[in-house]
């Protein structure tokens, strides 16, 4: 008889909606970014997120350290073994994040904060490089 692992693995952190897209070097240059670099977005980078969605066939992935870890673990464990807790905004990105987590079969319990936006991370893939 299989062991019941429902909810056996629990994680808490700040969830992020990873917005991932394959782009060319000209987009990096447009936003003054470097290949294989990671930065904190400043106001001049904010339009990049919508550009990825509108023009680069972006993928939505559940991100943030604990949510990434649980997403990977859930792929290896029996269904419903991992559950994630975190806070999101009351916005479209929260819906995208929930949809991405559901697609990954990751059970989530998000607290909704109506005064803060859902965290996002742009993942720009150029060849073998990933910039965040």
């Amino acid at each position: 008889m299989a062991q019941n692992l429902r909810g056996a693995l629990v994680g808490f952190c700040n969830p992020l909606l990873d917005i991932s897209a394959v782009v060319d070097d000209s987009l990096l240059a447009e936003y003054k970014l470097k290949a294989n670099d990671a930065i904190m977005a400043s106001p001049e980078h904010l339009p990049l997120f919508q550009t990825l969605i509108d023009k680069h066939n972006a993928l939505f992935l559940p991100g943030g350290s604990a949510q990434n870890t649980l997403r990977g673990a859930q792929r290896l464990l029996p269904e419903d073994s991992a559950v994630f807790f975190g806070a999101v905004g009351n916005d479209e990105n929260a819906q995208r994040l929930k949809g991405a987590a559901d697609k990954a079969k990751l059970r989530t319990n998000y607290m909704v904060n109506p005064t803060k936006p859902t965290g996002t991370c742009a993942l720009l893939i150029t060849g073998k490089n990933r910039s965040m």
Side-chain angles (χ1 to χ4, degrees):
M1 182 166 162
Q3 186 177 5
N4 181 355
L5 295 177
R6 186 173 198 280
L9 189 58
V10 177
F12 303 82
C13 85
N14 293 318
L16 296 174
L17 173 65
D18 288 345
I19 302 173
S20 177
V22 175
V23 302
D24 57 32
D25 290 331
S26 66
L27 188 67
L28 293 180
E30 179 181 342
Y31 286 94
K32 298 180 178 81
L33 302 170
K34 299 177 200 165
N36 269 348
D37 200 9
I39 65 161
M40 292 294 292
S42 59
E44 71 243 20
H45 298 113
L46 296 181
L48 174 61
F49 295 93
Q50 197 60 46
T51 297
L52 294 177
I53 294 166
D54 293 342
K55 298 181 180 176
H56 294 280
N57 199 26
L59 299 174
F60 300 120
L61 303 166
S65 60
Q67 193 165 218
N68 268 335
T69 301
L70 290 177
R71 180 170 54 107
Q74 186 55 70
R75 291 182 69 169
L76 302 172
L77 295 169
E79 184 176 337
D80 216 20
S81 295
V83 60
F84 174 80
F85 294 85
V88 297
N90 187 18
D91 54 26
E92 185 176 14
N93 283 334
Q95 297 306 313
R96 290 172 172 153
L97 180 55
K98 178 65 173 151
D102 289 348
K103 185 176 178 181
K105 298 186 179 0
L106 177 60
R107 186 161 49 120
T108 58
N109 287 295
Y110 296 129
M111 180 191 86
V112 177
N113 182 336
T115 65
K116 300 288 184 186
T118 299
T120 54
C121 179
L123 302 173
L124 309 175
I125 312 301
T126 52
K128 294 180 181 179
N129 298 313
R130 179 183 76 165
S131 304
M132 302 189 307

